[in-house]
Amino acid sequence: VTENRSDLEDLHLYATPREQRFRRFASLEFEGQLYMTPYDFIQAVTNDEPKHAKKWRSLSKQELNQILMETPPVWKGSSKLFRNLNEKGVISYTEYLFLLCILTKPHAGFRIAFNMFDTDGNEMVDKKEFLVLQEIFRKKNEKRERKGDEEKRAMLRLQLYGYHTSTNSVLKTEGEDLVPRSYWDTLRRSTSQALFSDLAERADDISSSLSDTTLLVHFFGKKGKAELNFEDFYRFMDNLQTEVLEIEFLSYSNGMNTISEEDFAHILLRYTNVENTSSYLENMRCRIPEEKGITFDEFRSFFQFLNNLEDFTIAMQMYNFASRSIGQDEFKRAVYVATGVKLSPHLVNTVFKIFDVDRDDQLSYKEFIGIMKDRLNRGFR
């Protein structure tokens, strides 16, 4: 059974940009709630638009159970998990937000994320603790909802969260100015309140009213009784980051071990606020006439650096370069000091040739940071 998207298209007017993207790429529906497949998720983070106009396919209970039965346990995870699952998986909107958080965090942040979920401090995360994030993200979302038809907004909540919600906020904040800007900040701020509010209590209600998902079964087993340790959690996050980078790299490498410097520039400038990318590309072509190529290790190291962009920004301000240009040696040293990531001379030179528009072999710090923040957050800064 399929449901045509046009029937509910006007709900888009009440959705935030992230919600709109989820609805655009999601392909499954079960009991009124929308889900992405692992394939849909990969498409959503590596492409501007879905490859094909989609309809939401309604899953039967039997089909959903079969999908969950085939979900591998967390110790069988790999950097090909999402590609191997392909269409055989279901990812909720809340989990989509969580996975996006993972993609933009440095490895040092993985321990912070785990500790945020581990509210009882026993070095293990159980299903109930993990489900608290459902409430945290939902409450943040209610504060962002567009004003308008309450019935339409209730339908949108049902699509995204699988149940109707009240508008009474559980998270006690003194005003809109205290609401953190990102979902990561919301998670970090709100999980510490979980033991002192009814969020954890609500997780019991959520658990009983919502269907299991691929992620829940992967983490906590088919009966939901398993617990997640930090090593497995870390490996899952690292594998996801690697998998998305591999997919982006392979889409340009055509089976080769390298991508061209121009392709690297294309990938960097995607999802940014740069309007005229052709000037950057032309600048690079003139200044790197002989193609050497960017390896996957170089590619991955650069995006590991991007995930540490906040620390790099602080380091650069301490170096007092905040309002002036910097050279390649200074840039490379600051990256290593701030993030522990060593960028190859060729990679640093390529980055400079892309962004050094006035060709003085200096990088405009403020412009570079602004563009890279957009790229890091894939256009949702």
PDB file of all heavy atoms in Angstrom, residues 117-120 125-135 194-195 197-207 216 220 224-227:
ATOM      1  N   PHE A 117      24.201   9.586  27.971  1.00  0.00           N
ATOM      2  CA  PHE A 117      23.145   8.563  28.004  1.00  0.00           C
ATOM      3  C   PHE A 117      23.190   7.747  29.292  1.00  0.00           C
ATOM      4  O   PHE A 117      22.160   7.315  29.804  1.00  0.00           O
ATOM      5  CB  PHE A 117      23.282   7.616  26.807  1.00  0.00           C
ATOM      6  CG  PHE A 117      22.882   8.223  25.501  1.00  0.00           C
ATOM      7  CD1 PHE A 117      23.782   8.317  24.457  1.00  0.00           C
ATOM      8  CD2 PHE A 117      21.596   8.704  25.314  1.00  0.00           C
ATOM      9  CE1 PHE A 117      23.412   8.897  23.247  1.00  0.00           C
ATOM     10  CE2 PHE A 117      21.218   9.276  24.109  1.00  0.00           C
ATOM     11  CZ  PHE A 117      22.127   9.367  23.075  1.00  0.00           C
ATOM     12  N   ASP A 118      24.405   7.528  29.810  1.00  0.00           N
ATOM     13  CA  ASP A 118      24.588   6.678  30.984  1.00  0.00           C
ATOM     14  C   ASP A 118      24.208   7.449  32.244  1.00  0.00           C
ATOM     15  O   ASP A 118      25.065   7.836  33.049  1.00  0.00           O
ATOM     16  CB  ASP A 118      26.051   6.211  31.042  1.00  0.00           C
ATOM     17  CG  ASP A 118      26.332   5.315  32.244  1.00  0.00           C
ATOM     18  OD1 ASP A 118      25.371   4.737  32.792  1.00  0.00           O
ATOM     19  OD2 ASP A 118      27.512   5.213  32.634  1.00  0.00           O
ATOM     20  N   THR A 119      22.914   7.656  32.452  1.00  0.00           N
ATOM     21  CA  THR A 119      22.452   8.537  33.536  1.00  0.00           C
ATOM     22  C   THR A 119      22.651   7.940  34.925  1.00  0.00           C
ATOM     23  O   THR A 119      22.696   8.680  35.903  1.00  0.00           O
ATOM     24  CB  THR A 119      20.962   8.897  33.348  1.00  0.00           C
ATOM     25  OG1 THR A 119      20.205   7.693  33.194  1.00  0.00           O
ATOM     26  CG2 THR A 119      20.783   9.779  32.128  1.00  0.00           C
ATOM     27  N   ASP A 120      22.783   6.600  35.031  1.00  0.00           N
ATOM     28  CA  ASP A 120      23.004   6.025  36.361  1.00  0.00           C
ATOM     29  C   ASP A 120      24.479   5.735  36.625  1.00  0.00           C
ATOM     30  O   ASP A 120      24.848   5.229  37.688  1.00  0.00           O
ATOM     31  CB  ASP A 120      22.170   4.759  36.573  1.00  0.00           C
ATOM     32  CG  ASP A 120      22.520   3.641  35.580  1.00  0.00           C
ATOM     33  OD1 ASP A 120      23.500   3.811  34.833  1.00  0.00           O
ATOM     34  OD2 ASP A 120      21.799   2.632  35.557  1.00  0.00           O
ATOM     35  N   VAL A 125      24.803   1.561  28.915  1.00  0.00           N
ATOM     36  CA  VAL A 125      23.578   2.270  28.536  1.00  0.00           C
ATOM     37  C   VAL A 125      22.512   1.238  28.202  1.00  0.00           C
ATOM     38  O   VAL A 125      22.758   0.324  27.410  1.00  0.00           O
ATOM     39  CB  VAL A 125      23.816   3.195  27.320  1.00  0.00           C
ATOM     40  CG1 VAL A 125      22.498   3.741  26.777  1.00  0.00           C
ATOM     41  CG2 VAL A 125      24.740   4.348  27.697  1.00  0.00           C
ATOM     42  N   ASP A 126      21.357   1.357  28.845  1.00  0.00           N
ATOM     43  CA  ASP A 126      20.272   0.432  28.524  1.00  0.00           C
ATOM     44  C   ASP A 126      19.250   1.121  27.629  1.00  0.00           C
ATOM     45  O   ASP A 126      19.355   2.322  27.335  1.00  0.00           O
ATOM     46  CB  ASP A 126      19.618  -0.137  29.789  1.00  0.00           C
ATOM     47  CG  ASP A 126      19.023   0.942  30.686  1.00  0.00           C
ATOM     48  OD1 ASP A 126      18.585   1.990  30.164  1.00  0.00           O
ATOM     49  OD2 ASP A 126      18.987   0.742  31.922  1.00  0.00           O
ATOM     50  N   LYS A 127      18.262   0.370  27.211  1.00  0.00           N
ATOM     51  CA  LYS A 127      17.284   0.874  26.247  1.00  0.00           C
ATOM     52  C   LYS A 127      16.505   2.062  26.813  1.00  0.00           C
ATOM     53  O   LYS A 127      16.262   3.047  26.112  1.00  0.00           O
ATOM     54  CB  LYS A 127      16.324  -0.251  25.862  1.00  0.00           C
ATOM     55  CG  LYS A 127      15.329   0.116  24.778  1.00  0.00           C
ATOM     56  CD  LYS A 127      14.468  -1.090  24.431  1.00  0.00           C
ATOM     57  CE  LYS A 127      13.404  -0.759  23.381  1.00  0.00           C
ATOM     58  NZ  LYS A 127      12.569  -1.938  23.067  1.00  0.00           N
ATOM     59  N   LYS A 128      16.150   1.993  28.093  1.00  0.00           N
ATOM     60  CA  LYS A 128      15.387   3.085  28.702  1.00  0.00           C
ATOM     61  C   LYS A 128      16.193   4.374  28.714  1.00  0.00           C
ATOM     62  O   LYS A 128      15.672   5.452  28.396  1.00  0.00           O
ATOM     63  CB  LYS A 128      14.994   2.697  30.128  1.00  0.00           C
ATOM     64  CG  LYS A 128      14.232   3.779  30.876  1.00  0.00           C
ATOM     65  CD  LYS A 128      13.865   3.326  32.277  1.00  0.00           C
ATOM     66  CE  LYS A 128      13.238   4.463  33.065  1.00  0.00           C
ATOM     67  NZ  LYS A 128      12.882   4.066  34.439  1.00  0.00           N
ATOM     68  N   GLU A 129      17.481   4.273  29.050  1.00  0.00           N
ATOM     69  CA  GLU A 129      18.322   5.470  29.067  1.00  0.00           C
ATOM     70  C   GLU A 129      18.434   6.057  27.662  1.00  0.00           C
ATOM     71  O   GLU A 129      18.405   7.280  27.485  1.00  0.00           O
ATOM     72  CB  GLU A 129      19.713   5.115  29.606  1.00  0.00           C
ATOM     73  CG  GLU A 129      19.735   4.862  31.102  1.00  0.00           C
ATOM     74  CD  GLU A 129      21.093   4.386  31.603  1.00  0.00           C
ATOM     75  OE1 GLU A 129      21.708   3.537  30.924  1.00  0.00           O
ATOM     76  OE2 GLU A 129      21.523   4.856  32.660  1.00  0.00           O
ATOM     77  N   PHE A 130      18.579   5.207  26.664  1.00  0.00           N
ATOM     78  CA  PHE A 130      18.705   5.682  25.288  1.00  0.00           C
ATOM     79  C   PHE A 130      17.425   6.365  24.822  1.00  0.00           C
ATOM     80  O   PHE A 130      17.472   7.362  24.091  1.00  0.00           O
ATOM     81  CB  PHE A 130      19.051   4.513  24.363  1.00  0.00           C
ATOM     82  CG  PHE A 130      19.390   4.926  22.958  1.00  0.00           C
ATOM     83  CD1 PHE A 130      20.628   5.462  22.661  1.00  0.00           C
ATOM     84  CD2 PHE A 130      18.472   4.786  21.930  1.00  0.00           C
ATOM     85  CE1 PHE A 130      20.950   5.856  21.370  1.00  0.00           C
ATOM     86  CE2 PHE A 130      18.778   5.173  20.634  1.00  0.00           C
ATOM     87  CZ  PHE A 130      20.027   5.707  20.356  1.00  0.00           C
ATOM     88  N   LEU A 131      16.265   5.861  25.245  1.00  0.00           N
ATOM     89  CA  LEU A 131      14.987   6.422  24.800  1.00  0.00           C
ATOM     90  C   LEU A 131      14.709   7.805  25.384  1.00  0.00           C
ATOM     91  O   LEU A 131      13.827   8.511  24.905  1.00  0.00           O
ATOM     92  CB  LEU A 131      13.837   5.475  25.148  1.00  0.00           C
ATOM     93  CG  LEU A 131      13.667   4.278  24.201  1.00  0.00           C
ATOM     94  CD1 LEU A 131      12.610   3.325  24.717  1.00  0.00           C
ATOM     95  CD2 LEU A 131      13.323   4.737  22.795  1.00  0.00           C
ATOM     96  N   VAL A 132      15.470   8.207  26.406  1.00  0.00           N
ATOM     97  CA  VAL A 132      15.306   9.564  26.937  1.00  0.00           C
ATOM     98  C   VAL A 132      15.562  10.597  25.844  1.00  0.00           C
ATOM     99  O   VAL A 132      14.961  11.665  25.813  1.00  0.00           O
ATOM    100  CB  VAL A 132      16.240   9.794  28.150  1.00  0.00           C
ATOM    101  CG1 VAL A 132      16.287  11.271  28.538  1.00  0.00           C
ATOM    102  CG2 VAL A 132      15.761   8.975  29.343  1.00  0.00           C
ATOM    103  N   LEU A 133      16.450  10.248  24.892  1.00  0.00           N
ATOM    104  CA  LEU A 133      16.746  11.209  23.832  1.00  0.00           C
ATOM    105  C   LEU A 133      15.514  11.506  22.982  1.00  0.00           C
ATOM    106  O   LEU A 133      15.379  12.590  22.424  1.00  0.00           O
ATOM    107  CB  LEU A 133      17.910  10.714  22.968  1.00  0.00           C
ATOM    108  CG  LEU A 133      17.655  10.012  21.651  1.00  0.00           C
ATOM    109  CD1 LEU A 133      17.974  11.001  20.546  1.00  0.00           C
ATOM    110  CD2 LEU A 133      18.531   8.803  21.471  1.00  0.00           C
ATOM    111  N   GLN A 134      14.598  10.537  22.892  1.00  0.00           N
ATOM    112  CA  GLN A 134      13.342  10.746  22.161  1.00  0.00           C
ATOM    113  C   GLN A 134      12.594  11.936  22.759  1.00  0.00           C
ATOM    114  O   GLN A 134      12.116  12.809  22.052  1.00  0.00           O
ATOM    115  CB  GLN A 134      12.486   9.479  22.273  1.00  0.00           C
ATOM    116  CG  GLN A 134      11.160   9.534  21.538  1.00  0.00           C
ATOM    117  CD  GLN A 134      11.244   8.896  20.166  1.00  0.00           C
ATOM    118  OE1 GLN A 134      12.236   8.265  19.837  1.00  0.00           O
ATOM    119  NE2 GLN A 134      10.221   9.054  19.369  1.00  0.00           N
ATOM    120  N   GLU A 135      12.510  11.954  24.086  1.00  0.00           N
ATOM    121  CA  GLU A 135      11.810  13.036  24.769  1.00  0.00           C
ATOM    122  C   GLU A 135      12.561  14.356  24.660  1.00  0.00           C
ATOM    123  O   GLU A 135      11.971  15.411  24.445  1.00  0.00           O
ATOM    124  CB  GLU A 135      11.632  12.690  26.254  1.00  0.00           C
ATOM    125  CG  GLU A 135      10.402  11.866  26.536  1.00  0.00           C
ATOM    126  CD  GLU A 135       9.144  12.631  26.156  1.00  0.00           C
ATOM    127  OE1 GLU A 135       8.673  13.467  26.946  1.00  0.00           O
ATOM    128  OE2 GLU A 135       8.637  12.409  25.052  1.00  0.00           O
ATOM    129  N   ALA A 194      17.889  14.370  33.402  1.00  0.00           N
ATOM    130  CA  ALA A 194      16.981  13.235  33.258  1.00  0.00           C
ATOM    131  C   ALA A 194      16.630  12.594  34.593  1.00  0.00           C
ATOM    132  O   ALA A 194      15.497  12.158  34.797  1.00  0.00           O
ATOM    133  CB  ALA A 194      17.588  12.191  32.325  1.00  0.00           C
ATOM    134  N   LEU A 195      17.599  12.539  35.515  1.00  0.00           N
ATOM    135  CA  LEU A 195      17.322  11.915  36.806  1.00  0.00           C
ATOM    136  C   LEU A 195      16.462  12.798  37.702  1.00  0.00           C
ATOM    137  O   LEU A 195      15.904  12.334  38.686  1.00  0.00           O
ATOM    138  CB  LEU A 195      18.637  11.585  37.528  1.00  0.00           C
ATOM    139  CG  LEU A 195      19.492  10.486  36.895  1.00  0.00           C
ATOM    140  CD1 LEU A 195      20.778  10.321  37.671  1.00  0.00           C
ATOM    141  CD2 LEU A 195      18.732   9.170  36.860  1.00  0.00           C
ATOM    142  N   SER A 197      13.892  14.827  36.587  1.00  0.00           N
ATOM    143  CA  SER A 197      12.645  15.233  35.943  1.00  0.00           C
ATOM    144  C   SER A 197      11.870  13.983  35.603  1.00  0.00           C
ATOM    145  O   SER A 197      12.278  12.876  35.927  1.00  0.00           O
ATOM    146  CB  SER A 197      12.949  16.037  34.669  1.00  0.00           C
ATOM    147  OG  SER A 197      13.439  15.167  33.675  1.00  0.00           O
ATOM    148  N   ASP A 198      10.756  14.168  34.947  1.00  0.00           N
ATOM    149  CA  ASP A 198       9.968  12.986  34.571  1.00  0.00           C
ATOM    150  C   ASP A 198      10.329  12.492  33.171  1.00  0.00           C
ATOM    151  O   ASP A 198       9.611  11.722  32.578  1.00  0.00           O
ATOM    152  CB  ASP A 198       8.469  13.286  34.654  1.00  0.00           C
ATOM    153  CG  ASP A 198       8.067  14.457  33.761  1.00  0.00           C
ATOM    154  OD1 ASP A 198       8.977  15.081  33.202  1.00  0.00           O
ATOM    155  OD2 ASP A 198       6.875  14.729  33.654  1.00  0.00           O
ATOM    156  N   LEU A 199      11.503  12.931  32.648  1.00  0.00           N
ATOM    157  CA  LEU A 199      11.927  12.458  31.329  1.00  0.00           C
ATOM    158  C   LEU A 199      12.136  10.951  31.330  1.00  0.00           C
ATOM    159  O   LEU A 199      11.664  10.245  30.439  1.00  0.00           O
ATOM    160  CB  LEU A 199      13.240  13.137  30.921  1.00  0.00           C
ATOM    161  CG  LEU A 199      13.151  14.546  30.351  1.00  0.00           C
ATOM    162  CD1 LEU A 199      14.545  15.067  30.078  1.00  0.00           C
ATOM    163  CD2 LEU A 199      12.328  14.569  29.095  1.00  0.00           C
ATOM    164  N   ALA A 200      12.858  10.456  32.343  1.00  0.00           N
ATOM    165  CA  ALA A 200      13.124   9.027  32.402  1.00  0.00           C
ATOM    166  C   ALA A 200      11.828   8.245  32.595  1.00  0.00           C
ATOM    167  O   ALA A 200      11.659   7.148  32.057  1.00  0.00           O
ATOM    168  CB  ALA A 200      14.092   8.729  33.541  1.00  0.00           C
ATOM    169  N   GLU A 201      10.911   8.847  33.353  1.00  0.00           N
ATOM    170  CA  GLU A 201       9.609   8.205  33.563  1.00  0.00           C
ATOM    171  C   GLU A 201       8.861   8.105  32.241  1.00  0.00           C
ATOM    172  O   GLU A 201       8.246   7.089  31.923  1.00  0.00           O
ATOM    173  CB  GLU A 201       8.801   9.043  34.558  1.00  0.00           C
ATOM    174  CG  GLU A 201       7.771   8.265  35.348  1.00  0.00           C
ATOM    175  CD  GLU A 201       7.154   9.141  36.426  1.00  0.00           C
ATOM    176  OE1 GLU A 201       7.859   9.481  37.386  1.00  0.00           O
ATOM    177  OE2 GLU A 201       5.971   9.492  36.263  1.00  0.00           O
ATOM    178  N   ARG A 202       8.956   9.176  31.445  1.00  0.00           N
ATOM    179  CA  ARG A 202       8.283   9.190  30.153  1.00  0.00           C
ATOM    180  C   ARG A 202       8.852   8.122  29.220  1.00  0.00           C
ATOM    181  O   ARG A 202       8.160   7.608  28.357  1.00  0.00           O
ATOM    182  CB  ARG A 202       8.444  10.563  29.486  1.00  0.00           C
ATOM    183  CG  ARG A 202       7.485  11.613  29.986  1.00  0.00           C
ATOM    184  CD  ARG A 202       6.112  11.419  29.400  1.00  0.00           C
ATOM    185  NE  ARG A 202       6.096  11.620  27.968  1.00  0.00           N
ATOM    186  CZ  ARG A 202       5.205  11.087  27.150  1.00  0.00           C
ATOM    187  NH1 ARG A 202       4.259  10.290  27.611  1.00  0.00           N
ATOM    188  NH2 ARG A 202       5.243  11.322  25.842  1.00  0.00           N
ATOM    189  N   ALA A 203      10.150   7.798  29.406  1.00  0.00           N
ATOM    190  CA  ALA A 203      10.772   6.796  28.542  1.00  0.00           C
ATOM    191  C   ALA A 203      10.056   5.459  28.654  1.00  0.00           C
ATOM    192  O   ALA A 203       9.970   4.714  27.675  1.00  0.00           O
ATOM    193  CB  ALA A 203      12.251   6.643  28.901  1.00  0.00           C
ATOM    194  N   ASP A 204       9.529   5.142  29.843  1.00  0.00           N
ATOM    195  CA  ASP A 204       8.756   3.904  30.002  1.00  0.00           C
ATOM    196  C   ASP A 204       7.510   3.932  29.140  1.00  0.00           C
ATOM    197  O   ASP A 204       7.162   2.951  28.481  1.00  0.00           O
ATOM    198  CB  ASP A 204       8.359   3.708  31.469  1.00  0.00           C
ATOM    199  CG  ASP A 204       9.533   3.208  32.300  1.00  0.00           C
ATOM    200  OD1 ASP A 204      10.388   2.505  31.752  1.00  0.00           O
ATOM    201  OD2 ASP A 204       9.579   3.531  33.496  1.00  0.00           O
ATOM    202  N   ASP A 205       6.809   5.098  29.159  1.00  0.00           N
ATOM    203  CA  ASP A 205       5.594   5.238  28.349  1.00  0.00           C
ATOM    204  C   ASP A 205       5.931   5.124  26.866  1.00  0.00           C
ATOM    205  O   ASP A 205       5.218   4.480  26.097  1.00  0.00           O
ATOM    206  CB  ASP A 205       4.925   6.597  28.613  1.00  0.00           C
ATOM    207  CG  ASP A 205       4.493   6.742  30.061  1.00  0.00           C
ATOM    208  OD1 ASP A 205       4.268   5.688  30.706  1.00  0.00           O
ATOM    209  OD2 ASP A 205       4.397   7.880  30.536  1.00  0.00           O
ATOM    210  N   ILE A 206       7.029   5.784  26.465  1.00  0.00           N
ATOM    211  CA  ILE A 206       7.441   5.755  25.063  1.00  0.00           C
ATOM    212  C   ILE A 206       7.750   4.326  24.640  1.00  0.00           C
ATOM    213  O   ILE A 206       7.326   3.859  23.591  1.00  0.00           O
ATOM    214  CB  ILE A 206       8.697   6.633  24.846  1.00  0.00           C
ATOM    215  CG1 ILE A 206       8.386   8.086  25.167  1.00  0.00           C
ATOM    216  CG2 ILE A 206       9.195   6.525  23.423  1.00  0.00           C
ATOM    217  CD1 ILE A 206       9.623   8.946  25.282  1.00  0.00           C
ATOM    218  N   SER A 207       8.506   3.639  25.493  1.00  0.00           N
ATOM    219  CA  SER A 207       8.925   2.275  25.179  1.00  0.00           C
ATOM    220  C   SER A 207       7.743   1.358  24.930  1.00  0.00           C
ATOM    221  O   SER A 207       7.774   0.507  24.044  1.00  0.00           O
ATOM    222  CB  SER A 207       9.788   1.732  26.317  1.00  0.00           C
ATOM    223  OG  SER A 207      10.220   0.433  26.032  1.00  0.00           O
ATOM    224  N   LEU A 216      17.524   0.392  17.749  1.00  0.00           N
ATOM    225  CA  LEU A 216      17.244  -0.145  19.078  1.00  0.00           C
ATOM    226  C   LEU A 216      17.579  -1.636  19.154  1.00  0.00           C
ATOM    227  O   LEU A 216      18.151  -2.108  20.139  1.00  0.00           O
ATOM    228  CB  LEU A 216      15.771   0.084  19.441  1.00  0.00           C
ATOM    229  CG  LEU A 216      15.360   1.526  19.748  1.00  0.00           C
ATOM    230  CD1 LEU A 216      13.858   1.620  19.967  1.00  0.00           C
ATOM    231  CD2 LEU A 216      16.110   2.062  20.963  1.00  0.00           C
ATOM    232  N   PHE A 220      20.375  -2.990  21.556  1.00  0.00           N
ATOM    233  CA  PHE A 220      19.862  -3.617  22.782  1.00  0.00           C
ATOM    234  C   PHE A 220      19.254  -5.003  22.572  1.00  0.00           C
ATOM    235  O   PHE A 220      18.657  -5.555  23.492  1.00  0.00           O
ATOM    236  CB  PHE A 220      18.835  -2.677  23.437  1.00  0.00           C
ATOM    237  CG  PHE A 220      19.368  -1.291  23.651  1.00  0.00           C
ATOM    238  CD1 PHE A 220      18.906  -0.223  22.905  1.00  0.00           C
ATOM    239  CD2 PHE A 220      20.367  -1.067  24.599  1.00  0.00           C
ATOM    240  CE1 PHE A 220      19.424   1.057  23.087  1.00  0.00           C
ATOM    241  CE2 PHE A 220      20.893   0.209  24.788  1.00  0.00           C
ATOM    242  CZ  PHE A 220      20.419   1.270  24.028  1.00  0.00           C
ATOM    243  N   GLY A 224      15.360  -6.335  23.750  1.00  0.00           N
ATOM    244  CA  GLY A 224      15.558  -5.031  24.377  1.00  0.00           C
ATOM    245  C   GLY A 224      16.206  -5.099  25.750  1.00  0.00           C
ATOM    246  O   GLY A 224      16.222  -4.106  26.485  1.00  0.00           O
ATOM    247  N   LYS A 225      16.789  -6.245  26.102  1.00  0.00           N
ATOM    248  CA  LYS A 225      17.341  -6.428  27.451  1.00  0.00           C
ATOM    249  C   LYS A 225      18.861  -6.231  27.494  1.00  0.00           C
ATOM    250  O   LYS A 225      19.441  -6.115  28.573  1.00  0.00           O
ATOM    251  CB  LYS A 225      17.017  -7.833  27.976  1.00  0.00           C
ATOM    252  CG  LYS A 225      15.527  -8.160  28.029  1.00  0.00           C
ATOM    253  CD  LYS A 225      14.793  -7.248  28.993  1.00  0.00           C
ATOM    254  CE  LYS A 225      13.322  -7.653  29.104  1.00  0.00           C
ATOM    255  NZ  LYS A 225      12.566  -6.698  29.970  1.00  0.00           N
ATOM    256  N   ALA A 226      19.517  -6.237  26.340  1.00  0.00           N
ATOM    257  CA  ALA A 226      20.980  -6.087  26.317  1.00  0.00           C
ATOM    258  C   ALA A 226      21.369  -4.662  26.710  1.00  0.00           C
ATOM    259  O   ALA A 226      20.547  -3.732  26.655  1.00  0.00           O
ATOM    260  CB  ALA A 226      21.512  -6.416  24.926  1.00  0.00           C
ATOM    261  N   GLU A 227      22.612  -4.509  27.115  1.00  0.00           N
ATOM    262  CA  GLU A 227      23.135  -3.183  27.455  1.00  0.00           C
ATOM    263  C   GLU A 227      24.326  -2.865  26.557  1.00  0.00           C
ATOM    264  O   GLU A 227      25.019  -3.760  26.074  1.00  0.00           O
ATOM    265  CB  GLU A 227      23.551  -3.128  28.931  1.00  0.00           C
ATOM    266  CG  GLU A 227      22.374  -3.214  29.896  1.00  0.00           C
ATOM    267  CD  GLU A 227      22.808  -3.063  31.345  1.00  0.00           C
ATOM    268  OE1 GLU A 227      23.754  -3.782  31.742  1.00  0.00           O
ATOM    269  OE2 GLU A 227      22.217  -2.249  32.057  1.00  0.00           O
TER     270      GLU A 227
END
